[in-house]
Structures are given as C-alpha cells and as structure tokens.
C-alpha cells in the first residue's frame, strides 16, 4: 500500500488545534495522492498464488476517515504457474517514462528480500500441485475400494492421502513463511518512502480462488441496463469476471464502490433475483490505458452501447487487440439491436486510425468477430433502483460460431451457438422489434402510457398482428421457417410484450425514431423486401406513419431532430435521408405519400 499518512486528529484535545491539524492532514493527503497518481503508482498491490491485482482506494486519502476505505481493483495480471510477486518490477514498469525506482529512494533491501522468496514460491507451487494430484489419486483409490477389497488398496489409499496432507502442509508452511518474510522486509525498509504491507486473513481469498477454478475474464463496454441486467449477468453466472468499461463518471464510481447488485427477472411464473458480484469497472475516458491492459488479457469482449457508439469504443479495442500476445484469439461480440453489429464494430476497429494496416492480415490471430442476435425486454426502472435492474425472465442470445474455428467459442451457457445467424436476426428484428415499436407508436398517438395498455386496446392489438402477419410472410418465404412455427413465435412475442408487470412505457420503446426508420430496420427493412417481391406491406406503412409522428418527445434527441427534418425537407428528401430509400425502389412513392400526409397534419 502506498501514499497513506498516519496522522490522526482525534487525539488532539484543543478544537482549534484539531481544525489546524485536520487542515494540515487533508493537505498532506491531497499532495501524496496527487504525487502518486502523477507517478502512475497505484494505491495497493495485492499478491495471490497465481497472479497479482492492483488498484485504488475508494474514497481516496481523507482526513480523520471513520470508515475503512474499499478497494477498487483496476487490473489483475494473467494467472501464471510458478508465479511470485515482485513489487519492484511491477512498480518500475508502471512509472512514468524516464523515472526509475532509485529516483524514489526505493530500498535495495526490499529487492533482496524478493529474490530470497522467489525459489520458495516455485517450490510451494510444485508442492500444491503434488498435493492436489495425490488427493485426486486418493479419491480414485477410495472409489476403487468400493468395488474391490484387500490390504493393498487400503495401503495405497493411506499412502496417497498422507502424501497429499504432507505436500499441502509443507506448501502452506512455505507460503506463510514467504508472506511473513515479504511483509516484514517491506515494512522494515519501506516506511521511509510510505510503503507498507499487510498479510491477508486467508492465503487464497475469493478472487484468487476464482482465478484458480475459472480464470475467465470478459470486458464489457456499456454499464447500462442491458449491460448490467443481461450481458454481464449471464457472463458472471457462467463464471466470468466482468470488467465494465464506460465513460459515465457517476455510473463507474457507483460500480466501483458497490460490491454487488441484483437482477430481478420478471415472468408469468413470478420473480427470480440473481445477485451479481464478480465485477470491476474502469472509466475509459480517464483511464484508457487500464482498459486496454484488461482487454489484452481477456477471453471475451462484449458491448451494449448502442449502434451509434460503436465507432467510439473501437479505438480502445483496436489498440488492445494489436497488443495481444495470447495464443488463443480474443472473442469479440457486439450485443446491439442492429443487424451485423459486430461486423460494423470490426470495420471501425480495422480502420487505419485504430489498427496499423500492416497488421490487418494477421488480426484473426489475435481476435475473432462474431455477430449476435439478442432479445430481452428491459422496461423502465425504478428511479431509486441504483445499479439494480428489473428485466423480463425470457431471453435469447444467439451467436454465430463459425468465426471461431478451429478454436472453441467461449463457454457461456446462455448463448445459443449457430452456424447461420441471419434467420435468427431477421426473425427477431422483424417480429419482436417490429411488434414492440408498432405498439409503442400507435399507443403514443392515442395517449397510452405502457405497451401493455396499448395492446389491451383491441384496435391497436389487431394492427400489431397485421404488421406481424406481413413480416411473418417474409420470414417464412425467405428463410424456410414453417408457417406454424412462426405463428407460435408471434403469439409468444405478443404475450411477452403485453406483460403488465414490465410497466414498459411507450416513450422508452419508441425513442430514437431516426434509427428505427432506417433502411435495415424493423419497418423499412421488411417492407422493402415485401414490395420488391410484389407482396403487400400496408400495415407496415401505417406503422411508419405513426413513427414519423413521434416528434419532439421530451428526453429523445432523435425525435426532435426528426421534427426538424420534417419541417425543413421535402417529402422525397426525408424518405431518402431517413429511410435510405432510392427513387428506383418500388415502395419509394408509397413512403413519400406517408411523409406528405404527416407533414400536412
């Protein structure tokens, strides 16, 4: 631990002197904290069996602090066999360019102590491995004893058990001695420069135990409701440590200072609560280097930031991918309501501004990009929910597995891996998103508060079914899905979005109309294909009309921008600009009529 003072104003009797001393202590702590950060030194470095972690205290140095500060871990090294913690090497590697430990009067005695325990650490690791192996043999012997009898089996079992106990006992003694030696050496010689060490209460704490058993890490961009309540939830439940990356200061600070949050799944069968614990958080706006460092040692990168933000996270991911040295490529999966979202993210990453062009030919050695389709409704949240998320129990997370060959894709139980993702993406987008948005826009126009309230209106209910009948015709014809299977899927989706317990407000579902009226989106996308093949798309055109009326909604910048376009552009210009349609497209004229009608109202 570095840069913490030992002043304590509570021992001063005079209130006047207390005020002076408190002021002095605050100033000293501020200077020390600023100096440490200027040198790029972390507040603490925590050594484990196979790795080390580092980070900062929350809150930072504060005078007369009455509560124990919590640790905010910002980075953990790779798990490594024969690992031993060398604080001198770690701190030297992180110092600002041009600085050396000798410039900080780093005691040579500390380095001598580190060298003395290095060999002991290696022996300790070998003994632990031997102990675990012997324990396994003893268990096998015990099972064999159930099927056979005789003194030989008993002798073998006793011998392997004794070896296991002896090996683990000696390893524990060495580890205890090594920890004591390192702590005593640091405390004896580091006090003058503000460095001290503490022993942990257990040899292997929860974090290092997770590293031993799983060693899986996912970096997730976007700490919003989908990020926390869907992607991170499923990754944590699959055994991953999740490192959130975001640029919202308040959100990151909350994640850093809160050890857990809950995800409440709501369904017809009731509620289920999952507690999410195994996560950390980094602000990439202020700590980009830490985010890059995490990705270089991660197994998986995911994001749920919105399609328009992909270009802003690409530079960090690109730098990290280029710096990776692991044999197995990083898995990159964008979890967005967008067809080909991961392809789009990969396009940004491969841009010459983010990846050296001479490295593009070998980028698949370092990263594999897989498209996905996600489906889970996250309704509006309680205003005082904090990090806790309320979400529907149903979900679907389908990912293309073909980019990972010859490697296995990440082991996430919640993911359905498929060889052809397109049918899943289009069925979801043209059923779930089309139906959801149609209910929202018609409901908004008629003063409904929630999606459930909209769909309880028989006229809106029937209109939504008409829209989904048109998209179902396309899905069945294009992808060969059975008619009854698609019909059952539609029924399931309408039932889901009608759930009154979700309290899904129409403004939330309808927000961002410019994107939702786009060429590849939920209305224009299927309507275009239907029109081109000579099939009707009347209901979808009606839903588009309601979407064009979704303007100047409080808190929705896109709705305001849509209103401006409708006032300043001709109908044809709006259709080309917003919907991405050309005059040669068969439905162009019909959409122009829709826009003209809206502009006249």
């Amino acid at each position: 631990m570095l840069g913490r003072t030992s002043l304590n104003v509570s021992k001063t009797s005079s209130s006047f002197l207390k005020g002076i001393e408190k002021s002095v202590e605050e100033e000293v702590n501020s200077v020390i904290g600023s100096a440490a950060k200027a040198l790029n030194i972390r507040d603490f470095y925590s050594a484990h069996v196979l790795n080390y972690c580092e980070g900062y205290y929350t809150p930072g140095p504060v005078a007369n602090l009455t509560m124990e500060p919590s640790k905010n871990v910002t980075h953990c090294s790779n798990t490594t066999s024969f690992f031993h913690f060398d604080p001198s090497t770690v701190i030297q590697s992180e110092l600002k360019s041009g600085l050396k430990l000798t410039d900080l009067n780093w005691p040579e005695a500390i380095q001598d102590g580190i060298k003395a325990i290095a060999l002991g650490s290696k022996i300790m690791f070998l003994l632990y491995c031997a102990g675990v192996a012997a324990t396994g043999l003893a268990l096998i012997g015990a099972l064999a004893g159930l099927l056979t009898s005789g003194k030989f089996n008993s002798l073998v079992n006793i011998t392997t058990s004794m070896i296991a106990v002896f090996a683990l006992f000696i390893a524990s003694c060495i580890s205890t001695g090594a920890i004591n030696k390192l702590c005593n050496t640091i405390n004896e010689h580091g006090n003058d420069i503000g460095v001290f060490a503490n022993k942990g209460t257990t040899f292997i704490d929860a974090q290092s135990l997770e590293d031993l058993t799983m060693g899986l890490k996912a970096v997730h961009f976007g700490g919003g409701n989908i990020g926390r309540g869907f992607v991170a939830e499923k990754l944590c439940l699959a055994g991953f440590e999740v490192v959130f990356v975001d640029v919202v200061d308040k959100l990151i600070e909350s994640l850093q200072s809160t050890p857990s949050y809950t995800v409440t799944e709501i369904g017809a069968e009731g509620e289920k609560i999952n507690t999410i614990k195994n996560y950390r958080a980094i602000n990439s706006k202020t700590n980009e280097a830490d985010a890059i460092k995490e990705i270089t040692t991660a197994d998986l990168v995911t994001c749920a930031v919105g399609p328009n933000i992909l270009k802003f996270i690409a530079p960090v991911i690109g730098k990290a991918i280029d710096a990776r040295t692991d044999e197995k490529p990083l898995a990159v999966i964008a979890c967005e309501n967008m067809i080909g979202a991961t392809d789009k993210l990969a396009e940004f990453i491969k841009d010459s501004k983010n990846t050296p062009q001479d490295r593009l030919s070998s980028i698949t050695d370092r990263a594999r990009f897989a498209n996905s389709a996600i489906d889970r409704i996250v309704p509006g949240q309680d205003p005082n929910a904090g990090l806790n998320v309320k979400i529907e129990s149903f979900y679907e997370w389908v990912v293309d597995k073909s980019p990972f060959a010859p490697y296995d894709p990440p082991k996430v139980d919640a993911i359905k891996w498929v060889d052809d993702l397109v049918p899943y993406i289009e069925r979801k987008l043209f059923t779930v998103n089309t139906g959801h948005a149609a209910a929202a826009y018609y409901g908004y126009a008629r003063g409904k508060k929630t999606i459930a309230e909209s769909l309880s209106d028989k006229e809106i209910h029937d209109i939504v079914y008409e829209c989904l009948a048109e998209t179902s015709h396309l899905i069945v014809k294009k992808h060969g899905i059975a008619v009854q299977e698609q019909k059952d899927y539609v029924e399931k989706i309408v039932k889901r979005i009608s759930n009154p317990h979700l309290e899904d407000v129409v403004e939330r579902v309808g927000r961002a109309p410019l994107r939702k009226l786009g060429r590849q989106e939920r209305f224009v996308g299927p309507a275009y294909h239907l029109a081109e093949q000579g099939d009707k798309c009347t209901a979808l055109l009606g839903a588009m009309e309601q979407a064009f009326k979704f303007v100047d909604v409080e808190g929705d910048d896109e709705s305001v921008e849509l209103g401006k376009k409708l006032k300043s552009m001709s109908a044809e210009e709006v259709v080309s600009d917003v919907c991405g349609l050309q005059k040669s497209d068969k439905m162009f004229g019909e959409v122009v009529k829709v826009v003209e009608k809206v502009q006249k109202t």
Side-chain angles (χ1 to χ4, degrees), residues 324-586:
R324 281 180 66 89
T325 58
D326 285 7
E327 181 179 344
K328 187 174 182 180
L330 174 71
V332 180
I333 304 172
C335 306
E336 310 288 351
N337 268 327
M338 173 187 180
I339 294 177
T342 307
D343 286 343
K344 193 65 179 177
L345 175 60
E347 180 184 321
F348 289 129
I349 290 172
K350 294 174 183 178
D351 187 276
S352 58
K353 296 190 295 290
N354 302 321
T355 300
Q357 295 303 286
D358 61 344
R359 300 274 286 168
L360 284 181
S361 61
S362 62
I363 196 171
T364 56
D365 295 336
R366 297 181 294 280
R368 300 295 174 90
F369 302 90
N371 285 311
S372 74
I374 61 166
D375 181 10
R376 199 174 201 185
I377 297 173
V378 184
Q381 303 296 304
D382 297 331
N384 299 318
L387 293 176
N388 299 333
V389 181
K390 181 170 62 176
I391 198 166
E392 73 162 332
S393 57
F394 176 89
Y395 72 89
E396 190 173 54
W397 189 0
V398 187
V399 183
D400 183 4
K401 70 178 181 181
S402 59
F404 297 102
Y407 300 96
D408 292 328
K411 294 182 179 179
V412 181
D413 294 337
I415 293 179
K416 178 178 181 179
W417 299 98
V418 299
D419 293 312
D420 184 7
L421 186 64
V422 174
Y424 293 92
I425 290 180
E426 292 200 344
R427 185 175 74 163
K428 184 264 177 180
L429 182 63
F430 298 161
T431 307
V432 181
N433 297 93
T434 300
H436 212 195
Y441 292 131
Y442 274 103
Y444 179 79
R446 302 187 184 194
K448 308 297 183 181
K449 291 183 178 180
T450 66
I451 298 300
E453 187 181 340
S454 294
L455 288 169
S456 67
D457 183 309
K458 185 179 186 306
E459 188 174 355
I460 296 177
H461 181 274
D462 291 346
I463 290 171
V464 170
Y465 265 100
E466 288 173 12
C467 289
L468 297 184
E470 291 178 356
T471 59
S472 291
H473 177 72
L474 174 67
I475 291 166
V476 168
K477 190 173 182 179
K478 184 177 180 180
H479 299 297
I481 295 174
V483 173
Q484 188 60 45
E485 180 184 342
Q486 177 62 18
K487 184 178 179 180
D488 292 343
Y489 183 69
V490 167
E491 293 293 334
K492 180 174 68 174
I493 297 309
V494 174
K495 183 178 179 181
R496 281 175 54 206
I497 64 178
S498 301
N499 186 349
H501 299 293
L502 290 176
E503 299 178 354
D504 210 1
V505 297
V506 294
E507 289 85 357
R508 188 202 73 82
V509 180
R511 68 188 177 194
L514 284 177
R515 176 171 63 85
K516 290 170 182 175
L517 283 166
R519 170 65 183 79
Q520 303 297 330
E521 274 288 340
R522 57 209 71 194
F523 298 135
V524 180
Y528 168 83
H529 289 292
L530 287 166
E532 291 297 309
Q533 63 192 29
D535 292 319
K536 75 180 185 72
C537 56
T538 309
L540 289 171
L541 287 169
M544 290 171 63
E545 178 183 336
Q546 301 307 312
F548 274 113
K549 292 179 179 179
F550 192 80
V551 297
D552 299 325
V553 178
E554 184 179 355
D556 183 7
D557 293 339
E558 282 198 18
S559 70
V560 175
E561 182 64 24
L562 175 59
K564 292 178 180 178
K565 288 178 182 290
L566 288 168
K567 291 177 181 178
S568 63
M569 294 181 173
S570 68
E572 289 191 351
E573 289 172 335
V574 170
V575 173
S576 298
D577 181 69
V578 175
C579 302
L581 293 172
Q582 300 176 359
K583 290 184 178 181
S584 58
D585 296 330
K586 291 184 178 180

Side-chain angles (χ1 to χ4, degrees), residues 113-380:
I114 292 168
K115 291 178 181 178
I117 67 169
L119 179 60
S121 297
K122 294 179 180 180
I123 295 173
M124 173 198 70
F125 180 78
L126 288 173
L127 287 170
Y128 267 115
C129 290
V132 171
T135 302
L137 290 173
L139 289 173
I140 294 172
L143 291 173
L146 294 174
L147 304 175
T148 60
S149 60
K151 294 182 179 180
F152 179 75
N153 284 338
S154 299
L155 180 63
V156 170
N157 207 19
I158 291 172
T159 302
T160 52
S161 297
M162 289 179 65
I163 292 172
V165 170
F166 181 75
L168 294 173
F169 174 75
I170 297 299
S172 297
C173 290
I174 292 174
S175 69
T176 302
I179 291 169
N180 283 328
K181 173 69 175 176
L182 184 58
C183 289
N184 291 339
T185 300
I186 290 175
N187 290 332
E188 180 181 354
H189 300 282
N191 188 57
D192 291 340
I193 60 170
V195 181
F196 64 93
N198 288 328
K199 291 184 295 182
T201 55
T202 57
F203 179 58
I204 303 178
D205 63 11
Q207 175 60 47
S208 55
L209 182 58
E210 287 161 4
D211 288 338
L212 278 169
T213 56
M214 297 299 296
L216 298 172
K217 180 172 69 175
V219 175
H220 176 78
F221 284 80
N225 294 329
I226 284 288
R228 298 195 315 278
F230 184 7
V231 182
E233 178 207 29
K234 296 306 178 186
L235 292 176
C236 284
L237 293 176
F240 282 79
E241 178 197 26
V242 174
V243 181
F244 287 102
V245 178
D246 210 305
V247 295
V248 181
D249 298 338
K250 188 175 180 180
L251 173 62
I252 290 297
E253 289 167 5
S254 183
L255 284 164
Q256 290 174 343
S257 60
T258 307
S260 66
Y261 65 87
T262 61
V263 176
T264 302
E265 299 180 349
I266 304 169
E269 66 281 1
E271 295 185 356
K272 177 186 176 184
I273 299 177
N274 291 320
T275 300
I276 309 304
K277 297 180 178 180
N278 190 25
Y279 63 85
R280 294 181 281 119
I282 295 173
N283 189 329
S284 58
K285 180 173 61 179
T286 56
N287 298 95
E288 180 181 292
D290 288 338
I292 292 172
K293 196 171 183 180
E294 291 292 347
I295 297 171
T296 60
T297 58
D299 301 278
L300 171 64
V301 165
T302 55
C303 67
V305 295
N308 295 333
I309 307 299
L310 294 176
K311 60 178 173 286
F312 297 113
I313 68 174
V316 174
I317 302 174
K319 292 174 186 176
I321 289 174
D322 196 55
R324 281 180 66 89
T325 58
D326 285 7
E327 181 179 344
K328 187 174 182 180
L330 174 71
V332 180
I333 304 172
C335 306
E336 310 288 351
N337 268 327
M338 173 187 180
I339 294 177
T342 307
D343 286 343
K344 193 65 179 177
L345 175 60
E347 180 184 321
F348 289 129
I349 290 172
K350 294 174 183 178
D351 187 276
S352 58
K353 296 190 295 290
N354 302 321
T355 300
Q357 295 303 286
D358 61 344
R359 300 274 286 168
L360 284 181
S361 61
S362 62
I363 196 171
T364 56
D365 295 336
R366 297 181 294 280
R368 300 295 174 90
F369 302 90
N371 285 311
S372 74
I374 61 166
D375 181 10
R376 199 174 201 185
I377 297 173
V378 184

Side-chain angles (χ1 to χ4, degrees), residues 34-180:
S34 298
K37 288 199 173 183
L39 294 170
N40 205 32
I41 296 175
R42 309 303 190 266
D43 282 347
F44 68 85
Y45 298 82
S46 178
H48 305 305
V49 178
L50 299 180
N51 72 340
Y52 76 91
C53 295
E54 62 187 21
Y56 299 99
Y57 285 106
T58 304
V62 177
N64 216 23
L65 187 65
T66 58
M67 60 177 285
E68 187 69 21
S70 60
K71 288 182 176 181
N72 170 33
V73 177
T74 59
H75 170 69
C76 289
S77 66
N78 284 336
T79 53
T80 307
S81 303
F82 300 109
F83 172 79
H84 75 278
F85 181 55
D86 184 347
S88 299
T89 301
V90 171
I91 295 173
Q92 176 63 68
S93 69
E94 294 178 345
L95 283 175
K96 292 291 187 181
S97 178
L99 287 176
K100 297 181 180 180
L101 284 176
T102 52
D103 298 329
L104 306 180
N105 296 319
W106 185 264
E108 290 185 8
I110 292 180
Q111 190 61 30
D112 293 338
I114 292 168
K115 291 178 181 178
I117 67 169
L119 179 60
S121 297
K122 294 179 180 180
I123 295 173
M124 173 198 70
F125 180 78
L126 288 173
L127 287 170
Y128 267 115
C129 290
V132 171
T135 302
L137 290 173
L139 289 173
I140 294 172
L143 291 173
L146 294 174
L147 304 175
T148 60
S149 60
K151 294 182 179 180
F152 179 75
N153 284 338
S154 299
L155 180 63
V156 170
N157 207 19
I158 291 172
T159 302
T160 52
S161 297
M162 289 179 65
I163 292 172
V165 170
F166 181 75
L168 294 173
F169 174 75
I170 297 299
S172 297
C173 290
I174 292 174
S175 69
T176 302
I179 291 169
N180 283 328

